[in-house]
Structures are given as C-alpha cells and as structure tokens.
Amino acid sequence: MSVYILVVDDEPDVEVLFRQHFRRDLRRGRFLMEFARSAPVALQRALEIRDATLILILSDINMPGMSGLEMLPIVRSARPDVPVIMITAYGDAETKRKALEKGATNLLTKPIDFEALRQEIDARLEQAA
C-alpha cells in the first residue's frame, strides 16, 4: 500500500522545494507526495485517495479563490482521519488560533523548518505502519 502526503500551495516553486528536501525519502519510496495548486483540487484528491493511505495534508493558508482556512473544515469533515498542518508566512497568534479552531493539527511558518516537518512526517508514518 502506498502512503501519501498531499501538499496544497498555489506557488509552483513549493513543489520543487519539497521534492528537493524529501528527495531521499521519495526515491526510497517511504511515501509519495502529491501537489495541488488550489484548495478545490486538494479537496477532490483527498476524497479520491482511498486505495492508498493519505497520512497528512500540508496546506498554505493564503491562496486565490478558496483559502486554506476555508478548505480546512471541509477537508476535516470529509477526511477526519487525516491530520492537516497549515503553512503560512504570517505566524501571528490570531492566525494560529483560527487554524486550530477549524481543525488544524499544527501551524508551520515560512520559511518552513524542514527538520520539524520531517519529525511530523516520521510520526505519521509510524502511526500508519
């Protein structure tokens, strides 16, 4: 069975950055990363990934159209089994409060601390095993 992480961000360079930081894990097949450039596409993929294990959704907050905060309660309702970590350039207390109230597991600020994110992913992989 494949294990997936879904990354939601409208910036194209995010995919390159994530693939670079997790290249060894991806090459070894520890998990697959899928990228969605909008919240509606991410919602669709979260519902479609049923034959594999979706262990984590990482979502930017500020995106055109539907924001990550608007997507959050919808995806949590549809997939309560999948933790969601929000990512933002603005890590103020109010943003964190809103994200946690709407169901986020955590909030990471940009630039992303990839070591902290790796620890989160490792914990999710252990739970999925």
Side-chain angles (χ1 to χ4, degrees):
M1 175 166 24
S2 299
V3 177
Y4 277 85
I5 296 170
L6 180 59
V7 180
V8 189
D9 199 305
D10 61 310
E11 296 293 327
D13 57 334
V14 167
E15 181 173 350
V16 174
L17 183 65
F18 273 75
R19 288 195 184 281
Q20 178 182 357
H21 276 279
F22 295 106
R23 69 182 172 276
R24 286 188 194 109
D25 297 293
L26 295 170
R27 232 183 276 135
R28 287 191 329 212
R30 282 188 76 213
F31 52 84
L32 301 169
M33 273 192 166
E34 195 166 313
F35 296 85
R37 295 267 174 88
S38 70
V41 170
L43 287 169
Q44 180 180 348
R45 284 303 296 146
L47 292 173
E48 289 172 354
I49 300 173
R50 292 291 181 182
D51 58 333
T53 302
L54 181 59
I55 61 164
L56 184 61
I57 297 172
L58 301 165
S59 177
D60 189 22
I61 288 180
N62 294 316
M63 295 182 287
M66 180 186 285
S67 75
L69 286 178
E70 292 169 324
M71 176 192 76
L72 184 55
I74 300 168
V75 77
R76 293 294 296 142
S77 173
R79 295 295 307 265
D81 57 314
V82 181
V84 180
I85 296 176
M86 303 305 292
I87 301 170
T88 183
Y90 313 102
D92 60 275
E94 181 63 15
T95 301
K96 185 169 189 167
R97 183 189 64 76
K98 282 181 185 175
L100 294 174
E101 276 181 2
K102 291 179 182 252
T105 306
N106 200 354
L107 180 91
L108 298 176
T109 55
K110 293 179 182 179
I112 296 169
D113 178 348
F114 280 97
E115 270 313 303
L117 181 54
R118 179 174 297 285
Q119 291 172 5
E120 284 276 355
I121 290 171
D122 288 344
R124 303 296 167 211
L125 288 170
E126 280 183 31
Q127 289 175 355

